[in-house]
Amino acid sequence: MALNLTPCVYPIIPVTISYFAGQSDRRQSRLFAHGACYVMGLAVTNSLLGVTAALTGGLMGAMLQNPVVLIAIAAVLVLFAASLFGFWEMRLPFAVTQIASRGYVGYFGSLFMGLTMGIVAAPCIGPFVLGLLTWVAGLGSAGLGFVVFFSLSLGLGLPLFGLALFSGQLERLPRSGGWMRWVRELMGWVLVGMAAYYLRAVLPSSAYTVLLSWVAAAAGLHLGWLARVKARSVIFDWIRAAVGTAGLVLAVMLIGGWVLRGPGVTWQPYSDDLLETARRTGKPVIIDFYADWCTPCVELDQKTFHDSKIVSLSHNEFIMVKVDLTRAENEQNESLLKRYAVKGVPTVVFIGPDGRERHDQRLVDFLPADQFSGRMTSLTKNDSGG
């Protein structure tokens, strides 16, 4: 919805409303149908982009384990952010813009307007959409890619749809001005945050936290007070101050959470001798199949495995083993994946004191600390096979 307030999209609002208001049959039901066609056209274009990016990214999962690729993706996102900050301008060929700006009548005309709105508005929303495509490609989920870009389409189309139904409200729209540049820069900071997200697997945990806090603080200071915006609106001043304050608060929370976080679980590399020793001494074993590029893995590592109760249990009663699958494949990891039938990460395997896996306890997603400690406790009390 915020993208509607960027300098390239905002002028489209009166054009769109004038189009709907100029329909020969202005009955509310017909206007509703035209608006639905418009939003559907926008949704089809963007959703197909999202699904395509996600499917393509899924085929490149191995590449996303490479630090060079992750750094390159982050650099591309920063480049797009620089466009939104005004350092360079994205422009489409004149012929493409001319085709997209043609008018058609009837329901097809409404559908065509939705299909081509992204082309007309590309100089402003293009960098953000391309950055979003890069992020979705990294996720590799077609369903999530569809949802993300369908949501983007609704955010772009529904405000115009609502104003089209009540075209008499056009004169109440706020006037264009410097505040639109501020919205564009807000989108730029979103892309910078996404770039920092991609560097998570490249940087140490402490450096990554410092980077995120720096981005949040810099965005807050810039958007809240440093950006040169001329807007004669008390409401906009409040919004600007609120966004700036939120950025600074987020930065403090990130640094505070990192400083106050206690020690984590001490892990050992996998070895058959280690598991044999655990079986002889009657100690249960937890094997964590992990990768730096796996979001639930990182959540487990930063939240669950830093919980004081879990750390205490792991030190006193368990042998904790980590299998790191972040880097290139090796023979030992391949053998372990087959032996334990690991289909993906995260996978946490629980082995009882008798040396047999408790299959009912296996974990393949993030689990909060209280529930994870419950599984650990039940494993020490249950000596029966699973």
Side-chain angles (χ1 to χ4, degrees), residues 78 85 188-189 191-193 195-196 199 203 206-222 226 244 247-255:
V78 172
F85 290 137
W189 279 111
L191 289 185
V192 173
L199 295 177
L203 299 174
S206 57
Y208 174 67
T209 302
V210 171
L211 175 63
L212 278 185
S213 62
W214 179 88
V215 170
L221 289 172
H222 177 253
L226 300 181
L248 295 180
V249 170
L250 178 59
V252 172
M253 290 176 61
L254 287 169
I255 290 295

Side-chain angles (χ1 to χ4, degrees), residues 130-143:
L130 290 173
L132 204 59
L133 281 170
T134 305
W135 178 66
V136 168
L139 297 177
S141 169

Side-chain angles (χ1 to χ4, degrees), residues 285-334:
V285 179
I286 293 178
I287 306 177
D288 177 30
F289 290 86
Y290 167 95
D292 286 340
W293 40 264
C294 162
T295 300
C297 299
V298 174
E299 280 191 290
L300 279 170
D301 199 52
Q302 294 183 350
K303 298 178 182 178
T304 303
F305 295 144
H306 275 81
D307 180 79
S308 58
K309 183 176 181 180
I310 290 178
V311 172
S312 176
L313 282 171
S314 68
H315 284 172
N316 300 325
E317 302 182 39
F318 283 80
I319 290 181
M320 308 294 288
V321 177
K322 186 180 288 290
V323 179
D324 193 345
L325 304 174
T326 302
R327 304 305 176 195
E329 301 173 354
N330 59 60
E331 291 185 6
Q332 184 187 46
N333 286 353
E334 286 294 312

Side-chain angles (χ1 to χ4, degrees), residues 22 39 49 51 62 74 103 117 182 184-185 189-192 215 242 260-261 266 276 285 290 344-345 350 368:
V39 175
L49 284 174
V51 171
M117 178 189 171
W182 182 89
R184 179 170 170 164
E185 292 175 350
W189 279 111
V190 172
L191 289 185
V192 173
V215 170
L260 297 176
R261 189 176 67 178
T266 301
E276 178 60 26
V285 179
Y290 167 95
V345 288
F350 294 80

Side-chain angles (χ1 to χ4, degrees), residues 9 113 241 276 292 349 353:
V9 181
M113 284 189 66
E276 178 60 26
D292 286 340
V349 175

Side-chain angles (χ1 to χ4, degrees), residues 53 64 68-88 90 124-139 149 184-200 208 211-212 215:
L64 293 176
V68 175
V69 175
L70 295 173
I71 293 173
I73 291 174
V76 170
L77 291 173
V78 172
L79 178 65
F80 290 147
S83 173
L84 294 174
F85 290 137
F87 292 106
W88 63 280
M90 175 181 288
C124 283
I125 72 171
F128 184 79
V129 172
L130 290 173
L132 204 59
L133 281 170
T134 305
W135 178 66
V136 168
L139 297 177
F149 276 87
R184 179 170 170 164
E185 292 175 350
L186 171 64
M187 297 297 103
W189 279 111
V190 172
L191 289 185
V192 173
M194 292 166 62
Y197 166 84
Y198 269 101
L199 295 177
R200 179 188 58 191
Y208 174 67
L211 175 63
L212 278 185
V215 170

